[in-house]
Each structure stands twice: as C-alpha cells, then as structure tokens.
Amino acid sequence: MVKPVGERKPDALIVAGPTASGKSALAMALAHEFDGVVINADSMQLYAELDVLTARPSRDDEAAVPHRLYGVWPAASHGTVGRWRQAALAEIAAANADGKLAIVCGGTGMYLKMLVEGLSHVPPIPPAIRDAARAKLAAIGAAAFHAELAARDPVAGAKLTSADSQRLLRAYEVVEATGRTLSDYQAADPLAAATWPTLVLLPPREAHRAAIAARTRKMAENGALDEVRALLAQNLPDTLPAMRALGVREFAGYLAGHYDFESAINMLSLATAKFAKRQATWFRGQMKHALRFDAQYSESLMGQIRTFVKQIR
C-alpha cells in the first residue's frame, strides 16, 4: 500500500549482484509480493538481440510482473550510462506515480553508481591536482587526509570514512580544483534527495562458479549460438557495446572454425566467472551500506528481505 503524501518512502529499491547470483529471481519475487515494477540496470540486457546470451527475463516472467528497459535498444546503437539513467529515472517516476515499488535490478556497477550519485557535471580535474591529491594522501595517511577533507567539505567528511580512499580523493580533487564541494554539484541533480535502499547478493565463489557453468551450458544449448550467428550477420562494428557481450567472441570463434563447441562453452564459462569476480569485488567495495547476503538467492533469504522491504515501505 502506498504511504500518505508527506511520509518518507524510497524512490526505488536496488537489487544488485554479479551475474548468475539470482538477483532477477529475487526482483521478481519482490515485485510479486510488493506490487513492484522491475527496471533493468544491466547494460547488455538493454539490447534486443542479446536475449539468450544475457539471460534476460523470459516472456513468461515479463507477463507475470511488469519489466521495463529489457531489450529496448538495437545492437547497432551505442548505449551510454547517461542515456540509460534518463530512461531509468522516467520508469522510476512512472512506478512511483502508480503507487508501485520500483525495483532497479542489475549488475552493471557504473549504472547503479550514476543512478545513485547522479551525473553532476563536475568540470574536468587537472592532472596536476589529481597527482598532488594522491601524493598528499600517501604522505600524510588516510586519517589525516580524511580530517583535512572534512574541514573543507563537511558533508563528504561526514559521509565517508578514512578507508574509502577513492571517494575521499574524488571529493578532495573537486574542492581543490573548483572551490566547490562535490555535494554542491550533486545538489543540482533532481534526484539528489532520493533514497536508495539496496540489497546485494554475493554467492560463495565455488557455488557461484558452478551456477555460472550450469547457466552457460543451458544458454549454449538453448539458442545462444543462433543468436550470435544472427548478430554477426548484421556486420556491426566490433566497437559497439553489444558486440562485446560475453559469449559473442567465444561463439564467433567456434562459428569461424577456430575450436570446437565444447571449447567455446568452457571459454565462456571461464570468462563469465572472471567477470563475476570483478563484479563481486566492485559491490563489496562500493556498496558497503547495502543489506548484503553472501549467498545465491533462495526462498530461505526471504524472511529477512521481507522485513527489510516492509521497513522501507
């Protein structure tokens, strides 16, 4: 049920995690239970031609609960985080207006980061200032650097810890280069006051690798090869994002006769596992305030997740 006007409620719930962590199933379960709309935040699931390769929600899934921004761009287009963010904000606003829970689901860290932090149009930082900031951090240490930043940018100082070196450096560089704080720039973003409660799934490595291998084989046996064949027939430039999707290079090599089908499956499974490891590292480092589950999605998690969602609603 929608809360009365004036009561605080989230603009969207973020469900994140690496590929094959079960985040899509979790988002669907939440959409069923809390009258939600699932909004895609996976950069490759945006492309219409990448259905099987990206394990996009099925037609039955899309019929069961509303899904938005899945398969909406042609592979011939060049998607950007700004383009996606504009579309995602429109879908969040539409869900909010209908009294539904907007559930932003995906594993593309940069998309989620820009959704939350905004495209704040900070002027470019001169390399000399960037180098000087890093040298200062190394010279005086993280605690003293954090204290110096807090004196110049109290908002960033209160929000960040001395362990968050990259964000400390970013905030310091902005105020040093422009004389304005990063929060000043972010305040110009219309979504600066939004709330972004977040759930993150981070399965144990061995179980995750097994899930990736099983999913890779399933997609290989259920149309991925035909999908790559059709994509290659478009003769698109290799520089387009869709052409860099996991599976395109591996199955293209098989179609060209460079190795057998089993080798293509094994190569894709390994590449996906490496990619998932990088995703997991990013989520651990960047989403420290999320409710995190070191597990694959299963119904056994839903008790704690339900409590969390009811609190934010």
Side-chain angles (χ1 to χ4, degrees), residues 143-167:
F145 190 86
H146 179 254
E148 184 165 329
L149 171 65
R152 302 181 67 181
D153 183 349
V155 173
K159 184 166 61 174
L160 304 176
T161 70
S162 57
D164 199 350
S165 60
Q166 291 303 310
R167 296 177 73 184

Side-chain angles (χ1 to χ4, degrees), residues 26-258:
L26 171 56
M28 274 200 63
L30 292 173
H32 271 296
E33 188 160 344
F34 293 97
D35 190 22
V37 176
V38 182
I39 300 167
N40 174 42
D42 182 298
S43 63
M44 292 300 160
Q45 288 187 341
L46 287 159
Y47 294 103
E49 292 91 335
L50 302 180
D51 187 352
V52 179
L53 282 178
T54 62
R56 221 162 54 207
S58 68
R59 301 295 180 268
D60 289 343
D61 293 338
E62 293 183 344
V65 299
H67 284 73
R68 303 288 184 262
L69 302 185
Y70 289 90
V72 292
W73 297 347
S77 68
H78 197 297
T80 65
V81 62
R83 181 183 175 191
W84 170 81
R85 185 175 190 266
Q86 183 177 19
L89 291 178
E91 294 294 352
I92 291 169
N96 290 169
D98 289 342
K100 295 182 178 294
L101 175 63
I103 303 169
V104 179
C105 177
T108 303
M110 182 56 67
Y111 279 29
L112 296 173
K113 183 179 176 68
M114 289 299 101
L115 177 66
V116 172
E117 297 185 1
L119 300 171
S120 52
H121 307 294
V122 178
I125 306 299
I129 289 179
R130 183 169 285 117
D131 292 343
R134 279 153 179 73
K136 173 172 284 210
L137 174 61
I140 68 176
F145 190 86
H146 179 254
E148 184 165 329
L149 171 65
R152 302 181 67 181
D153 183 349
V155 173
K159 184 166 61 174
L160 304 176
T161 70
S162 57
D164 199 350
S165 60
Q166 291 303 310
R167 296 177 73 184
L168 286 173
L169 282 166
R170 174 62 172 164
Y172 183 92
E173 291 165 1
V174 169
V175 74
E176 181 75 4
T178 71
R180 294 176 59 191
T181 66
L182 187 58
S183 59
D184 286 340
Y185 287 102
Q186 291 172 338
D189 188 279
L191 266 287
T195 55
W196 305 102
T198 302
L199 299 167
V200 176
L201 297 172
L202 292 170
R205 183 171 299 178
E206 290 306 313
H208 196 194
R209 289 176 72 93
I212 288 169
R215 193 177 80 169
T216 300
R217 185 164 296 279
K218 182 179 179 181
M219 69 172 55
E221 295 170 352
N222 287 278
L225 194 60
D226 290 337
E227 199 165 84
V228 172
R229 187 181 285 113
L231 186 65
L232 295 175
Q234 295 187 48
N235 294 315
L236 299 174
D238 291 341
T239 53
L240 286 173
M243 298 302 293
R244 299 196 296 270
L246 287 167
V248 174
R249 181 179 64 84
E250 291 80 4
F251 287 126
Y254 162 71
L255 291 171
H258 298 319

